[in-house]
Amino acid sequence: MSAMSRRRILFGGAAVGAGALLTACTSNTPATDAQVKTDTSGNANAAAGKKVVIGFSAPAADHGWIAAITNNAKAQAAQYSDVELRLVEAGSDAAAQRAALATLIGQKPDVLVMLPHDGKELDATALEAMRAGIPVVNLDRAFPSQAAYRLQLKGDNYGMGLAAGHYIGEQLKAKGATTPIIGEIPGIDSLELTQQRSAGFAAALAEYGFKVANRRPAEFTADSGQAAATALLQALPKMDALWNHDDDQGIGVLAAVKQANRSEFFMVGGAGSKTAIDTITKDDTVLKATVTYSPSMASSAISLARLIGQGKGLSDLVELQVPKDITLASETITKDNAAKYAKLGF
Amino acid sequence: MITETALPEVRERKRVRLDEGVVRNLGLVGVLAILMIIGAVTRPELYGDATWVKNNIFTILQQASAIGVVTVGMTFVLIGGGVDLSVGAIIALAGVWSTTLATQSYGPLGMVFTALVVGVVVGLINGVLISYGKLVPFIATLAMLVAARGLAAQISGKQTQISADATINGIATTKILGIPLLVLILAAVVVAGWVLLNRTTFGRRTVAVGGNPEAARLAGINVKRHTVLLYALSGLCCGIGAIMLTSQATSAQAAMANLYELDAIAAAIIGGTLLSGGRGTIVGALFGVLVFSTITNLFAINNLSTEAQNMVKGGIIVAAVLIQQFRYRSITQLFKR
């Protein structure tokens, strides 16, 4: 090969690469699919009120769920003419988030919404904001101190496990199974949320006299899901049901199921991603249901932060203020109700 | 058998030794055999089924394929006296870049080409920073680890990018003459790596550069250029690994191939590669990867926790390095000290 043609290949590669980089922002899942509440007809709270500056901080996104949290917060804030969102990147760890929040608190926003890296580590920072008279809305990861937040809005990890367990239990009971073989693929096992999900799952299965036969944790990524599922399928040559905690890693789990040519069982997902809901609707894989843990909570957090800032309550409640603790229910999405949830997929 | 007959001879005349690499590889084969036997004893009902056993061996090999390819590249870098901490990040960047909608529109060849080019280019940058920028390999590749994962997250918009390409996804399901394609790719890379290391000037230069860079330079080897090539080779292996992993997961994302750098280094080390450079074998590295993959399999079929699995893996790394040290001093000498 002459030096000239070799150079041509190199430049060609560089050109292709540059082209790919330029168009890279058109990712597979466009960020425009945010979950926002727009239907506000006839709601007194919808009318523009006092201007509210909301500070927002969430960890740098490393997977789809966290990315959706930030996107949802931005999109929901854009719905209100009376809300100004001040967003700070929380960086990659709790220390970086503390530093970012210190700056944000210094700007005196009316309300502070944050998804902490770790509730325990950000507890003091939240207390400081509360003492400075800034109401704090905690998203999903609780602070140990009750005084550190005005509102806590979180998903229900234990309930998610319960929902998955009940769905699997009911399905297997209907089939007349007495000693079914049930597999479980959790996410990162050292996280408290994973342990809560697994505890809920085991508790629900126990009601039917069932238990988990094998459990292989993944890491919330598709490739780790593929590896965990491959190992699980190898360990259980015959399986009746499988719960995979996270739909993102579920892409890899479904790939592994296909690669192993297995179809004798049904699978339940977790979180409720758009891809998973589409797959359930099409009904051409083992994935028959998913239990939600929706990042739409970020949209709701912004709406509630606005109400807190304006001193308004929830219109259907008697109380004049927004409640202090809200735990979202985990819902089960199947083929029958998938259409209703399609817009909530992330 | 060979070790048994050879042992007394070694004791009597210390000068005469079996080829170290052969002994080590036999040891690793022994470890693999022991792991298999433990599997058969603990789950006899699974191991009693011949189809399952055949399937299981292919599964172990398939799960070792991507990391195996990366380990071959890593072994070259380690023998050459360097270290590449960015392999997992390069896989993520190459995987993400080759699965953007734009790249996917170029078809499977475009995706493979992009992954390989991204791998090689990132490897070249590593090499140039280390050779000509005089950065310590640890620092240069650590910086690349952070930067490449960052760029991957930027490109992917922090989302999991699904590969819609049937050809790419088909790599993981294709079998040729009953052997999975992923396993054949691993075999091809291992054979190519072995030939490159043991039968070419490039291989001999790698050993020379890693063993004593100054002597290599005085012997007329362009050490800087050679180092750049070693990191580019590692990057190329990561590009291949990225396609394999993307095919298995039918998707790519910035967090993929998490901690592959540690797995690859550990596999190379227990395969007999010196961290200080100058010595190492491709076959040993392959066995190292297979040992880890087999342990994962063994723990899975017995439903044991991954925490215990990681502790055993750590123990095996320590044991391998300890054995490596014992080879230079006899046990008696060690106790005398």
Side-chain angles (χ1 to χ4, degrees), chain A residues 5-175:
Chain A
S5 70
R6 195 179 300 156
R7 198 167 293 155
R8 220 173 274 158
I9 286 177
L10 280 174
F11 278 117
V16 170
L21 177 62
L22 284 173
T23 41
C25 42
T26 56
S27 179
N28 282 9
T29 340
T32 47
D33 299 328
Q35 306 160 328
V36 292
K37 181 82 183 158
T38 44
D39 177 25
T40 45
S41 52
N43 180 350
N45 283 343
K50 188 186 105 181
K51 186 176 168 165
V52 181
V53 178
I54 300 177
F56 182 86
S57 167
D62 47 6
H63 66 286
W65 193 87
I66 295 270
I69 284 281
T70 306
N71 287 340
N72 285 344
K74 278 192 228 169
Q76 186 66 48
Q79 293 291 316
Y80 298 115
S81 56
D82 50 1
V83 166
E84 183 193 334
L85 191 71
R86 292 223 181 111
L87 198 109
V88 289
E89 267 281 351
S92 56
D93 59 15
Q97 190 172 23
R98 270 199 297 270
L101 280 168
T103 319
L104 193 57
I105 293 169
Q107 296 172 9
K108 291 257 170 204
D110 296 311
V111 189
L112 187 60
V113 179
M114 71 163 114
L115 196 154
H117 264 288
D118 182 312
K120 290 186 196 83
E121 292 191 61
L122 269 301
D123 191 59
T125 309
L127 265 174
E128 195 188 308
M130 288 289 282
R131 282 200 200 106
I134 305 167
V136 174
V137 176
N138 174 297
L139 247 183
D140 202 41
R141 297 181 191 170
F143 298 127
S145 166
Q146 294 272 326
Y149 60 91
R150 164 65 185 82
L151 164 66
Q152 177 174 284
L153 182 63
K154 59 181 174 40
D156 186 4
N157 284 303
Y158 189 85
M160 199 178 159
L162 276 181
H166 279 133
Y167 179 82
I168 287 176
E170 287 299 329
Q171 295 288 315
L172 291 176
K173 202 172 83 177
K175 284 183 190 165

Side-chain angles (χ1 to χ4, degrees), chain A residues 20 28 214 216 222-223 234 259, chain B residues 56 162 248 253 257 300 303-304:
Chain A
N28 282 9
N214 202 325
R216 295 286 101 202
D223 64 318
Q234 204 56 31
Q259 284 152 18
Chain B
N56 198 43
I162 293 170
Q248 282 181 293
Q253 69 194 113
N303 190 22
L304 295 171

